Amino acid sequence: MSFIILTLDKYLKPTTNSLVRFLLVGIVNTIIGLTFMFFLLNVVGSSYWTSTFAGNAIGACVSFLLNRTFTFKSNVSFHRGLPRFFALLFICYFSAYFCSEKLVELASQFVLLSTSIKEGVSVLLGSTLYTMANYLGQKYFVFKNLKTS
């Protein structure tokens, strides 16, 4: 993990704002999480909910560590930050993936899609909704009173 932080810090100017840093961290943890999700969904044969939950759990661990140290350069304690962070992630996870699944089901009434395509589109849409809600929650709830860079 420190390799990723050192690499990001090395190639970014120190004045890069928290939104840009968050998006970069989001790219890293999304790649890791989606890779794991699609592996579970398509190779292992896990269900949609198991795959998305496990992929997001791995992405969440990466996200907390990188956002705490790289994005916000925060000194928030694990005791304070972790419960808020994981409460936010659970809310974002269930809301985003529930909505994405329902939206794709609705769209599939108008366009014929196979089950695997519906699940894949649901995962991609869900991860997008999840990322947007997660940033807002971290900015205004988890790291609200902390100095950001």
Side-chain angles (χ1 to χ4, degrees):
M1 189 63 56
S2 54
F3 170 75
I4 294 171
I5 294 168
L6 291 173
T7 302
L8 290 171
D9 274 334
K10 179 180 177 182
Y11 292 104
L12 290 175
K13 295 178 181 178
T15 58
T16 304
N17 71 35
S18 67
L19 177 59
V20 172
R21 288 175 177 261
F22 183 85
L23 293 173
L24 291 170
V25 167
I27 290 168
V28 170
N29 74 18
T30 299
I31 289 169
I32 292 168
L34 282 174
T35 299
F36 199 73
M37 280 182 214
F38 283 117
F39 175 78
L40 288 175
L41 189 65
N42 297 313
V43 176
V44 176
S46 297
S47 72
Y48 171 82
W49 287 104
T50 299
S51 300
T52 58
F53 186 84
N56 275 297
I58 298 224
C61 293
V62 171
S63 179
F64 181 82
L65 294 171
L66 290 177
N67 281 322
R68 182 176 178 264
T69 58
F70 174 72
T71 303
F72 300 105
K73 298 202 183 282
S74 173
N75 60 0
V76 66
S77 68
F78 283 93
H79 178 70
R80 177 179 180 250
L82 277 175
R84 288 179 175 205
F85 184 82
F86 282 105
L88 172 70
L89 295 188
F90 280 110
I91 292 166
C92 291
Y93 168 75
F94 286 109
S95 300
Y97 286 98
F98 177 81
C99 289
S100 69
E101 186 179 43
K102 296 304 175 192
L103 287 170
V104 170
E105 283 177 14
L106 180 64
S108 70
Q109 294 176 359
F110 305 103
V111 179
L112 185 60
L113 301 171
S114 71
T115 300
S116 64
I117 290 176
K118 283 193 267 189
E119 287 178 340
V121 171
S122 293
V123 167
L124 292 173
L125 178 59
S127 70
T128 300
L129 296 172
Y130 173 85
T131 299
M132 293 183 325
N134 190 22
Y135 173 73
L136 294 172
Q138 283 189 47
K139 180 173 175 120
Y140 295 108
F141 178 65
V142 176
F143 297 106
K144 180 180 178 184
N145 295 322
L146 299 175
K147 180 181 175 187
T148 59
S149 57

